[in-house]
Amino acid sequence: MSNHARTERLRLAELLTAAGPDAPTLCAGWTTRDLAAHLVLRERRMDAAAGIRLRALAGWTARVQAGLAGRPYEELVRMFRAGPPRLSPFALPGADEAANTVEYFVHAEDVRRAAPWEPREVSAAMSAALWRRLPMVARLEAAPRSPVRLGLRSVGQGRIEVGPTGGDYVEVIGEPGELVLFAGGRGARAEVEVEGSVEAVEALTKALPLPPGAVGGCR
């Protein structure tokens, strides 16, 4: 059975190593050192990981992450590459694949696309895995911010819809990985096309970044 999370973990570790500790990322305000510290915190410091999602605990999470970022960069990357410790919830059977396939794919692109980049070939199996997880990403990340009904369509995969019902509708079209990046807030660096009225697309762009020249189709 394919383990996409493991493959993406190793790929991300290689990208972090090649970039060095001070390279930019698509995570606002974070260097590669900050991203490596985040990745280690997420699976090794469960006492602080809750603050990634819960604003009330974000201060504690930021302090722990800053402490981790003070460690040697090579150590952080080595810890991440090694995988979750035995007592981490991510070490449970199936947990890494379920929770980290999208996480590591997106963060690998956060490193790669912060610099000049070329399109990446994604396998059919990986694309299918990302498509299966796209509805969750869209509901959690894109839907709460979208001012319009949002359709995400990939040729050969299908279409999902999220966001407010009624009113304006915008369709974003691309490969599953590109749609995951768009839904996760990286749309300015995603290879997608957009169909919808000028007004609806403008409203969407204010809430969720879109790449220049992405608009096409009906107006």
Side-chain angles (χ1 to χ4, degrees):
M1 178 179 291
S2 298
N3 190 325
H4 302 295
R6 178 64 178 168
T7 300
E8 291 301 302
R9 179 193 294 274
L10 296 177
R11 177 171 168 267
L12 176 50
E14 289 299 321
L15 287 166
L16 289 169
T17 298
D22 301 314
T25 74
L26 297 187
C27 301
W30 281 9
T31 64
T32 41
R33 177 184 294 277
D34 299 313
L35 178 54
H38 161 78
L39 293 166
V40 171
L41 177 150
R42 188 171 168 272
E43 62 185 8
R44 291 176 178 263
R45 287 296 304 269
M46 303 310 297
D47 62 306
I52 295 172
R53 289 284 181 184
L54 301 178
R55 184 172 298 181
L57 301 176
W60 169 239
T61 299
R63 289 193 293 274
V64 173
Q65 182 169 311
L68 288 168
R71 294 190 179 191
Y73 181 70
E74 295 77 9
E75 177 186 346
L76 291 172
V77 177
R78 186 169 59 250
M79 293 170 69
F80 169 64
R81 186 194 297 270
R86 185 169 57 87
L87 297 180
S88 170
F90 292 108
L92 294 171
D96 188 45
E97 184 75 357
N100 291 330
T101 296
V102 167
E103 178 83 5
Y104 298 159
F105 173 84
V106 169
H107 282 320
E109 297 307 303
D110 284 337
V111 176
R112 201 171 71 88
R113 300 191 191 201
W117 59 282
E118 296 292 332
R120 170 199 173 192
E121 184 175 345
V122 179
S123 70
M126 182 63 178
S127 289
L130 292 170
W131 179 257
R132 288 193 298 271
R133 291 162 173 80
L134 178 61
M136 178 185 66
V137 178
R139 286 194 297 269
L140 290 176
E141 302 290 344
R145 291 183 286 165
S146 179
V148 300
R149 185 68 176 170
L150 187 61
L152 303 175
R153 176 163 64 90
S154 183
V155 176
Q157 300 286 356
R159 180 179 61 195
I160 65 170
E161 294 186 10
V162 297
T165 57
D168 290 330
Y169 175 82
V170 173
E171 189 160 273
V172 182
I173 306 144
E175 294 296 323
E178 302 301 316
L179 294 175
V180 164
L181 291 170
F182 165 77
R186 280 79 168 176
R189 300 294 175 90
E191 294 190 313
V192 295
E193 296 181 355
V194 181
E195 294 181 355
S197 70
V198 172
E199 295 78 9
V201 171
E202 286 179 351
L204 177 64
T205 304
K206 290 178 182 178
L208 288 165
L210 287 167
V215 180
C218 60
R219 298 297 184 194

